Amino acid sequence: MAVVRAATHPHHWGCVFPQTKFHRPPARAEHVERSVLLDAIARSAARAVVVSAPAGFGKSTLLAQWAARVPDGDRVAWVSIDDDDEGARLWLAVLTALQPILGDALGPALDAAEAPDADLRAGVLIALLDALAETDAPVTVVLDDLHLALDDPGTRESVDWFLARLPRGHRVMIAARRDPGLDALRRLRGHGEALDVRADDLRFDPDETTRFLRDALGLAIGPDEVVALERRTEGWPAALYLAALRLRLGDAPEEVVEQLRSSDEDLIGDLTDEVLRSSPDHERRFILETSVLDRFNLDLCVRLLGDTADTREAFGSLTRSSLLLSPLDRSRTWFRCHHLLRDVLRNRLLATDPQRARELHVRAGGWFETEGGEGELVEAMHHYLAARDWDLAAELLACHSIRFVQSGALGGRAREWLAQFPAEVVGADARLCYVSALLAALDGDRERRDGWLATGETAGWAGPMPDGTASYGLAAQCLEAMICFDDLGRAVAAARQALSVLPRGAPARAAVEALTSWHLHLLGDDADAERLAQHALAEQVHLPSAGLPLVAYLPRAVLGVAALRRGDQIEARAMVGTAVAERDNGPLRASPHTLPVTYARARLLTEAGRPAEAVLACRAGLDLARGWRDSSLMVPAVLLELARAHRALDEPGPARDAAEQAMAALAGARDAGALPGWLRDVAGAPVPRAAQESAAPEDLSVRELEVLAALAGPGSLRQVADELFISRNTIKTHTRALYAKLGVASREEAVRRGRELGLLGGLQMTYAEELR
């Protein structure tokens, strides 16, 4: 035992310390030399070196390695600080550590310490500073675990005062679990005389992880397994060591990685407790309750925990230290906790106080939702689902459904989110039925779409939908308008009705207009398609956010093709080029829903005398759509352009094959618009016998042409009769005669055949005129 002389005064400072208090930690076989950090310390002329990081980051080991490699290692005074080292006891420990180095020069300091009513600053610290100033050889004082002593105000003040007056040439090295936050250190940093080593510096990089696991611990694991462990622990040495112990016990590497991924309490729990042990209560509460967050800033923490002094103080102290929390941006606005620590605490909170955990998730979700950005909406949904607050989650999902499913990866996430709702909740909530129908429609599944829409009608939803659509019925009508399957006429009729009531600025309106412009183009109504495409682009600027990716490219593709049909190559190149750029720079660039852009680009290339490039473009688009259930006749349209390009290359065989493939895709279609006729024209195929035997335009009377035009509209047969001011029996007679002359058996077939023969162009009021 090392004994310091005790004074006889009742308030004596006499203390007895174990020798181990002054011995640096011994080198161990599993220690990895931190060469980069050691070299940085050696090159530094800093008077203070502060190594601050949570438990298990190797702070003491680093300083011990430094002390072992310096030539004058015998002039390093090491003090391992304990919980009770406060005030005079701390400084007596420092004096004891320095005695072998400074010898008799410390006599005045020791005498001052033993004097009755001794004054720590005026007596002991001044005498100590004088002793250091009188020695020529540099001395280094290492204060290991200094955080244990700094909660005492008097001790904190004395350390700060001493550091501010440390004679030049000498150095103090500090290891602590949080930044000491001393004024003297701030001043030394300002003069470039302090070196900070923090948690991020102490993390093992991949090379150090390999040396630690393979060389130091002798584990026979492969490089992929090393990388998995390094990434999962984020280079936390203690976590890596715990994982290595499991590997030594025979656990498979993939099992250990999974334990880390699930934040196994048995594996990480004790380390978590050790990390938090030195934090004050308000900081421990802060870390525990913010564990529900993957990232946070001050405003979010205030919303989560309340705008109290404890919240702001904990945020400030923890983020300044950069120990438990890591900044996510240069401005140090956003932070995160180490995921292993966060996940353990998150699981503990859920197990011990599930109601509080749900409350925190709901508050966090509300904050992120009000931020409104795409990433923030994703985080809001994550929190609502974690809280199992189905109503808030359904409201958010339905409010942004069009935006979600039209934003690339968010389309897949919308499916994942929906899968997390209990089935009975989905079936009883019209909002979720609508989202289910929307996803089914995008999958090309008409039966499921119609089934979900019908289920939603029985849910009894009253009032507007979350996205502002006036009613569930109108939302369903918009969905029918956006997704035509094989019935262009029905989709356009639904669009007429929906757009007559949808307000400007509604996300659904721009989407309906964009897709309807495509449907109108396929019907052969270029003038109307062009006008509606322009409406869609104009509507985009009224959306509250950046808009919908589909609206950015699809109307421009339609406008580009319309310009080509007018012979305006300059306008076509501008429109198609912008459509391609919007597609390639947007989230849907790898989605088959962008095939209209491929269609327009191929048409432009062919007409510009570059059909070989058009063939390549079409084949790339068709490869993208392989196995896709086309929901808006996009694949046959691209096959049409493929046939057109082959024909321009004087390749009649491939042209015919592409056209026949498209016709096969259209077989049984309810209303494929002008596509069948275009395909026959391009392939040069003979007109089918049924079409040869059907009526020519001159065979139909004026009244029959009027009836045909009315049948192309959305009204029932009774409404058609009223519109033409004829009786219901008369309309039936005209309809039967019309069917016979056209060689068809249904209204849908009559409309389709009328379009193929060009019978609807002059009599049918254009959709754009109806809008006006």
Side-chain angles (χ1 to χ4, degrees):
M1 307 287 282
V3 181
V4 176
R5 292 171 295 168
T8 57
H9 191 275
H11 300 292
H12 67 270
W13 289 6
C15 299
V16 177
F17 300 111
Q19 289 286 355
T20 53
K21 188 176 184 68
F22 309 107
H23 292 172
R24 62 177 180 262
R28 293 163 57 181
E30 63 266 25
H31 288 166
V32 173
E33 185 175 74
R34 313 302 302 273
S35 301
V36 173
L37 295 176
L38 294 172
D39 290 345
I41 295 173
R43 291 193 303 268
S44 170
R47 298 164 65 194
V49 176
V50 182
V51 184
S52 52
F57 270 87
K59 303 180 294 295
S60 302
T61 300
L62 175 68
L63 294 183
Q65 289 178 352
W66 172 83
R69 66 153 44 181
V70 295
D72 52 351
D74 57 347
R75 295 190 67 80
V76 176
W78 187 286
V79 181
S80 297
I81 297 171
D82 299 311
D83 291 331
D84 56 351
D85 285 339
E86 295 179 350
R89 180 178 173 86
L90 170 66
W91 290 107
L92 281 173
V94 171
L95 293 176
T96 302
L98 285 169
Q99 263 188 313
I101 301 172
L102 298 180
D104 293 340
L106 283 181
L110 290 170
D111 290 341
E114 293 182 348
D117 300 320
D119 182 278
L120 179 60
R121 179 187 297 182
V124 179
L125 294 185
I126 289 178
L128 173 56
L129 291 169
D130 288 343
L132 289 170
E134 290 172 4
T135 182
D136 295 330
V139 174
T140 298
V141 178
V142 177
L143 302 176
D144 191 21
D145 285 335
L146 181 61
H147 58 276
L148 294 175
L150 293 184
D151 287 338
D152 175 64
T155 304
R156 183 182 189 84
E157 181 184 354
S158 66
V159 173
D160 197 10
W161 191 86
F162 174 79
L163 284 174
R165 292 156 179 81
L166 182 68
R168 292 191 177 278
H170 303 298
R171 172 182 282 182
V172 172
M173 305 184 81
I174 294 169
R177 293 188 182 179
R178 60 180 184 272
D179 188 274
L182 300 173
D183 291 336
L185 290 176
R186 282 191 281 272
R187 286 193 293 272
L188 288 171
R189 289 179 183 126
H191 291 92
E193 294 183 306
L195 174 67
D196 285 291
V197 180
R198 300 188 182 277
D200 285 343
D201 305 309
L202 291 165
R203 299 181 197 280
F204 280 179
D205 62 24
D207 178 64
E208 290 173 321
T209 301
T210 300
R211 287 191 284 122
F212 175 62
L213 295 174
R214 288 185 180 176
D215 301 340
L217 297 180
L219 295 173
I221 60 176
D224 292 343
E225 294 158 344
V226 170
V227 169
L229 288 171
E230 187 270 331
R231 287 180 177 173
R232 192 59 197 162
T233 60
E234 296 183 354
W236 191 354
L240 275 169
Y241 185 73
L242 293 174
L245 291 180
R246 291 296 178 92
L247 293 172
R248 278 182 166 177
L249 291 173
D251 290 0
E254 59 271 17
E255 293 176 356
V256 175
V257 171
E258 181 56 35
Q259 288 175 320
L260 290 170
R261 184 174 291 111
S262 61
S263 297
D264 187 284
E265 180 74 30
D266 291 338
L267 184 62
I268 304 296
D270 289 344
L271 180 56
T272 300
D273 292 335
E274 184 62 23
V275 167
L276 296 179
R277 186 171 68 86
S278 61
S279 300
D281 289 343
H282 69 286
E283 289 187 3
R284 284 198 294 269
R285 173 180 172 269
F286 180 96
I287 298 168
L288 175 66
E289 297 200 332
T290 57
S291 68
V292 302
L293 304 169
D294 292 334
R295 64 181 183 120
F296 52 84
N297 60 17
L298 177 59
D299 189 46
L300 175 54
C301 292
V302 166
R303 173 74 172 268
L304 198 72
L305 307 178
D307 191 1
T308 65
D310 279 353
T311 298
R312 291 181 176 274
E313 182 182 338
F315 179 88
S317 59
L318 289 169
T319 56
R320 277 195 305 272
S321 66
S322 187
L323 304 182
L324 301 174
L325 311 181
S326 301
L328 296 176
D329 52 24
R330 291 184 177 180
S331 63
R332 298 180 65 84
T333 300
W334 286 93
F335 295 84
R336 71 171 178 87
C337 186
H338 192 289
H339 66 88
L340 291 180
L341 178 66
R342 177 201 66 203
D343 291 349
V344 166
L345 294 175
R346 185 180 292 177
N347 292 337
R348 286 183 183 178
L349 181 63
L350 185 61
T352 59
D353 195 350
Q355 183 57 40
R356 178 60 174 169
R358 286 193 290 271
E359 178 186 344
L360 293 170
H361 275 300
V362 168
R363 290 183 183 180
W367 187 90
F368 279 113
E369 186 175 359
T370 58
E371 292 298 293
E374 191 170 277
E376 284 74 18
L377 292 176
V378 171
E379 291 186 77
M381 180 62 70
H382 162 76
H383 285 292
Y384 289 152
L385 290 174
R388 299 177 65 82
D389 193 315
W390 309 128
D391 183 64
L392 287 175
E395 186 77 5
L396 177 62
L397 183 54
C399 182
H400 301 281
S401 55
I402 299 293
R403 180 176 173 186
F404 281 148
V405 300
Q406 283 296 324
S407 297
L410 285 184
R413 286 198 175 182
R415 299 174 199 279
E416 295 172 6
W417 295 331
L418 194 61
Q420 295 183 51
F421 289 87
E424 62 275 13
V425 172
V426 177
D429 193 313
R431 298 167 297 181
L432 297 177
C433 288
Y434 170 77
V435 175
S436 300
L438 176 59
L439 293 172
L442 291 174
D443 288 339
D445 193 331
R446 187 206 318 262
E447 183 177 350
R448 284 181 56 238
R449 181 199 70 174
D450 294 346
W452 277 116
L453 289 178
T455 301
E457 288 178 0
T458 66
W461 182 262
M465 293 288 282
D467 65 354
T469 307
S471 67
Y472 175 82
L474 179 57
Q477 198 170 62
C478 290
L479 185 51
E480 291 182 357
M482 288 187 289
I483 309 295
C484 78
F485 293 106
D486 60 356
D487 196 343
L488 290 164
R490 178 184 174 185
V492 170
R496 279 199 189 98
Q497 297 177 358
L499 290 174
S500 67
V501 294
L502 277 172
R504 300 185 74 181
R509 184 179 183 91
V512 169
E513 288 181 337
L515 283 157
T516 304
S517 72
W518 170 249
H519 299 156
L520 286 167
H521 166 70
L522 297 181
L523 284 169
D525 190 351
D526 276 331
D528 222 7
E530 190 171 2
R531 290 189 186 98
L532 200 59
Q534 291 169 342
H535 281 201
L537 291 176
E539 194 67 36
Q540 183 87 326
V541 304
H542 296 292
L543 295 180
S545 62
L548 304 173
L550 177 143
V551 182
Y553 66 77
L554 195 151
R556 290 184 169 92
V558 171
L559 290 170
V561 176
L564 284 173
R565 291 172 73 88
R566 295 195 311 272
D568 190 343
Q569 286 274 344
I570 296 176
E571 176 69 11
R573 283 196 298 270
M575 280 296 171
V576 174
T578 305
V580 170
E582 292 286 355
R583 176 199 64 184
D584 292 347
N585 294 326
L588 298 180
R589 54 187 171 273
S591 168
H593 290 94
T594 61
L595 285 182
V597 179
T598 301
Y599 168 83
R601 181 167 180 262
R603 175 78 66 90
L604 178 63
L605 288 169
T606 298
E607 296 199 10
R610 298 156 60 188
E613 295 177 51
V615 169
L616 294 177
C618 289
R619 294 204 178 281
L622 293 171
D623 285 343
L624 189 67
R626 195 175 302 280
W628 179 53
R629 297 176 68 179
D630 188 358
S631 57
S632 284
L633 302 178
M634 294 177 180
V635 171
V638 173
L639 286 167
L640 166 67
E641 292 311 311
L642 179 61
R644 193 189 308 276
H646 278 303
R647 186 172 181 179
L649 289 167
D650 196 19
E651 297 172 347
R656 208 165 29 247
D657 291 344
E660 289 176 357
Q661 187 179 349
M663 290 298 288
L666 295 175
R670 300 181 184 186
D671 183 358
L675 273 173
W678 292 342
L679 286 163
R680 283 191 291 272
D681 291 342
V682 170
V687 179
R689 179 176 179 81
Q692 291 176 356
E693 295 175 350
S694 63
E698 58 269 18
D699 293 332
L700 299 181
S701 67
V702 173
R703 175 58 79 181
E704 287 167 346
L705 288 172
E706 290 176 345
V707 170
L708 178 60
L711 291 177
S716 65
L717 205 59
R718 177 183 298 179
Q719 291 170 323
V720 169
D722 295 339
E723 179 183 338
L724 297 177
F725 301 103
I726 57 179
S727 70
R728 293 166 190 172
N729 287 332
T730 302
I731 191 63
K732 291 178 182 178
T733 301
H734 284 308
T735 301
R736 283 194 294 268
L738 179 64
Y739 288 0
K741 289 182 178 182
L742 293 176
V744 298
S746 69
R747 178 176 180 174
E748 289 80 6
E749 291 176 356
V751 172
R752 180 169 63 250
R753 184 65 189 136
R755 289 199 177 98
E756 291 174 357
L757 295 172
L759 301 176
L760 293 174
L763 291 175
Q764 188 179 23
M765 179 181 291
T766 67
Y767 182 51
E769 288 171 344
E770 286 193 23
L771 281 179
R772 294 196 299 272

